[in-house]
Amino acid sequence: MSDAIEAPARLDLGLPWHNSFAALGPAFFTELAPTPLPAPGLVCGNTALARELGLAPDLIGSPQGVAAFTGNLPLAGSRPLASVYSGHQFGVWAGQLGDGRAILLGELQTPAGPQELQLKGSGRTPYSRMGDGRAVLRSSIREFLGSEAMQALGIPTTRALCVTGSPAPVRREEIETAAVVTRTAPSFVRFGHFEHFAARDQLGDLRRLADYVIDRFYPGCRHGERLAGNPYAAFLEQVSERTAAMVAQWQAVGFCHGVMNTDNMSILGLTIDYGPFQFLDAFDPNHICNHSDEQGRYAYNRQPNVAYWNLFCLGQALLPLIGDQELALAALESYKTVFPRELEGRLGAKLGLGRAEAGDRELVEQILSLLAADRVDYTIFWRRLSQHVAGTGAEPVRDLFLRRDDFEAWLRRYGERLDRAGRAAAAQGMLRSNPKYVLRNHLGELAIRQAKLGDHSEVETLLALLQAPFDEHPGHDDKAGFPPDWASQIEISCSS
Ligand code: AMP
Ligand code: MG
């Protein structure tokens, strides 16, 4: 018998770790372990992502996997920490925020490249302020399904590996239960990380952070001739372009983020922090999906301008490094050309237009204003239009409009334009640009209600549909239909 003290149990994922963010030093984070939760169980796992990351397929559902991804069992090689950032919330400087309920476990070297692993809802940190450090099951399922839906739509996003749940009570408007989402991304650095060090005049740290992000993710910025060869200006320009491309995709698919605070903006141009997000039902350009957003700052049609406003904050934070206001402004200018170009390209693809022609913009603007005037269901319109171009009659798409004559007139002009693009090629492209399935609020809500009763099958069904949103999935048409009347009553707020 040996009486040696046993080392604490650790789970080995079988992949090397290289915790580069942790190497930045203590100005950037506080090292701490997640706070365990009682009686954890798997709510949903993403086997497709596990495979991409080179993780053992049965890991997520195993007792050790569930324990590790709840924060109850350390991972060998990980170096858990909460990072510090600041930010502008609803247009107002909010000062220090930080990972109040997230723990960065570290950076795993995977077949899909380096990926950071982060737990969300894993307990209090020095940045929790008044919060409890927890996330509820409802919002965790929404983040899991929402981010995987975006990924399958080809929209840059953080990913979600699994959700685990616990009976531990969490107080929101009512008592709910705790859950943890395991998220992955090459980096979780936000605009707010840069704002933090700029606001405190910690210019050495600001430069260290910028150099870190540039060297890892934007190495081309070191060698360019553009913007007077200034690497920090080139960096701002690249982030502006990625953000522009991402927001153009949001607009085209009808995605509302809901809380575009600068601390919720990824430095890699990824969709991040799924809170009160929504995929549009009826097309209402002024739609506000976040019930806490009384002024409509983050309404659907304001997202492009808000993204620019946020980039401007990033530009201000980077100014001490760029050293020249004119250069910073010139770097931001790229947003104003890239966003409209990307949006035009995305909407052109939704219409199957092929190579751009004069008059395309009018065609797009006219259909968007008809959709808005009749509050037509956005996703159903585009899918039915695709099917019409693929050869079914015009009835199903025409039926969506009250102003039939206006729509008929548009359809005639569109038909002439399509004849030049080639209908067969157009139809094929449209059916891959216009999803049949998106994560509508009511679909998520129904799956969440069942999950609260311990039945996770609906979450799994939705995941399978959303991971292949352009496929028909016979037998699931009910999930591609109009929202029920009660859908508009669903209130999604910042409380998550
Ligand atoms: P969000 O609007 O969800 O992106 O969160 C803004 C800030 O509040 C971030 O610093 C979060 O970490 C923090 N936060 C949100 N919810 C909680 C919570 N339940 N406990 C601790 N911090 C939270
Ligand atoms: Mg956030």
Side-chain angles (χ1 to χ4, degrees):
M1 285 289 282
S2 147
D3 57 4
I5 299 167
E6 262 184 64
R10 284 177 177 270
L11 176 63
D12 188 347
L13 294 180
L15 293 170
W17 294 78
H18 173 68
N19 300 322
S20 65
F21 188 86
L24 283 174
F28 296 83
F29 51 78
T30 302
E31 297 200 59
L32 86 167
T35 311
L37 277 167
L42 183 69
V43 174
C44 41
N46 186 346
T47 45
L49 178 58
R51 212 177 304 121
E52 282 173 49
L53 298 178
L55 298 172
D58 49 5
L59 168 81
I60 300 174
S62 70
Q64 289 92 340
V66 169
F69 295 129
T70 307
N72 296 5
L73 173 66
L75 289 171
S78 101
R79 205 176 142 187
L81 60 85
S83 76
V84 64
Y85 54 80
S86 295
H88 284 83
Q89 296 185 314
F90 291 89
V92 179
W93 176 244
Q96 180 185 301
L97 302 165
D99 293 325
R101 53 170 169 172
I103 300 271
L104 178 66
L105 295 176
E107 182 184 334
L108 213 48
Q109 306 304 298
T110 81
Q115 294 288 332
E116 288 187 341
L117 237 59
Q118 194 187 67
L119 301 183
K120 179 172 177 180
S122 49
R124 301 198 80 236
T125 78
Y127 315 113
S128 299
R129 296 174 293 154
M130 306 302 284
D132 56 11
R134 293 301 179 192
V136 295
L137 181 64
R138 158 178 60 86
S139 66
S140 304
I141 290 174
R142 278 172 52 83
E143 167 139 11
F144 178 84
L145 292 175
S147 58
E148 287 309 296
M150 294 291 265
Q151 167 74 17
L153 291 165
I155 303 175
T157 178
T158 62
R159 304 288 305 272
L161 182 63
C162 59
V163 174
T164 60
S166 157
V170 176
R171 183 182 294 276
R172 294 294 180 261
E173 278 87 4
E174 50 190 58
I175 302 286
E176 304 189 44
T177 59
V180 178
V181 194
T182 302
R183 317 196 278 194
T184 72
S187 172
F188 284 93
V189 171
R190 301 144 190 271
F191 291 9
H193 280 99
F194 292 89
E195 291 180 277
H196 182 74
F197 297 107
R200 295 174 171 222
D201 262 335
Q202 289 175 236
L203 298 189
D205 293 323
L206 179 68
R207 185 180 300 273
R208 196 165 309 125
L209 181 65
D211 286 342
Y212 166 74
V213 174
I214 289 172
D215 289 342
R216 289 186 67 77
F217 303 105
Y218 296 94
C221 294
R222 297 257 182 240
H223 319 294
E225 313 256 294
R226 292 188 43 68
L227 298 162
N230 184 313
Y232 303 106
F235 170 48
L236 179 60
E237 182 175 60
Q238 296 262 303
V239 177
S240 302
E241 290 181 8
R242 283 206 204 179
T243 304
M246 173 188 75
V247 176
Q249 286 190 277
W250 289 1
Q251 300 306 107
V253 82
F255 176 82
C256 306
H257 181 282
V259 209
M260 290 175 70
N261 295 334
T262 56
D263 55 300
N264 290 338
M265 297 293 292
S266 151
I267 203 68
L268 301 185
L270 307 173
T271 313
I272 191 171
D273 280 10
Y274 290 78
F277 73 88
Q278 185 181 6
F279 289 85
L280 291 179
D281 291 319
F283 185 62
D284 172 6
N286 300 308
H287 184 70
I288 304 163
C289 66
N290 179 354
H291 276 75
S292 320
D293 181 9
E294 277 149 29
Q295 309 294 318
R297 180 178 173 86
Y298 299 137
Y300 167 77
N301 61 358
R302 290 199 174 157
Q303 296 186 127
N305 282 345
V306 167
Y308 181 78
W309 192 94
N310 290 342
L311 284 161
F312 197 91
C313 292
L314 178 65
Q316 252 170 346
L318 292 173
L319 197 53
L321 305 182
I322 296 172
D324 177 341
Q325 189 154 1
E326 292 306 313
L327 268 185
L329 288 170
L332 291 168
E333 274 303 297
S334 62
Y335 185 87
K336 296 182 190 161
T337 48
V338 174
F339 174 74
R341 189 186 71 210
E342 290 286 323
L343 183 61
E344 210 170 291
R346 295 285 168 190
L347 291 171
K350 288 177 87 63
L351 285 167
L353 298 183
R355 200 133 53 85
E357 282 186 14
D360 285 356
R361 183 168 303 167
E362 287 71 38
L363 211 53
V364 167
E365 279 169 8
Q366 284 160 0
I367 194 59
L368 291 179
S369 68
L370 286 176
L371 290 174
D374 281 348
R375 293 283 189 269
V376 176
D377 188 276
Y378 192 69
T379 303
I380 291 178
F381 166 74
W382 289 106
R383 191 69 183 181
R384 287 194 185 176
L385 186 70
S386 312
Q387 273 152 347
H388 165 55
V389 173
T392 64
E395 267 331 291
V397 64
R398 188 186 296 124
D399 283 349
L400 296 170
F401 292 85
L402 296 170
R403 285 155 240 246
R404 296 274 161 94
D405 292 347
D406 292 344
F407 178 66
E408 283 294 349
W410 179 85
L411 196 60
R412 262 194 310 279
R413 285 193 297 278
Y414 172 56
E416 289 157 17
R417 174 67 179 83
L418 263 195
D419 289 337
R420 292 196 296 279
R423 286 190 180 244
Q428 215 181 15
M430 289 172 77
L431 288 166
R432 308 309 294 172
S433 299
N434 296 311
K436 178 170 177 179
Y437 298 96
V438 295
L439 181 60
R440 294 176 187 265
N441 266 352
H442 76 279
L443 297 175
E445 180 67 23
L446 290 173
I448 288 162
R449 281 186 203 166
Q450 283 202 12
K452 284 182 175 173
L453 301 173
D455 175 0
H456 306 139
S457 60
E458 199 63 15
V459 178
E460 278 162 29
T461 303
L462 280 183
L463 178 65
L465 299 177
L466 296 169
Q467 283 187 328
F470 302 106
D471 294 353
E472 283 297 324
H473 300 285
H476 289 289
D477 284 354
D478 57 319
K479 298 201 170 51
F482 291 99
D485 286 342
W486 57 265
S488 58
Q489 261 93 65
I490 300 173
E491 295 208 350
I492 308 284
S493 70
C494 279
S495 147
S496 60

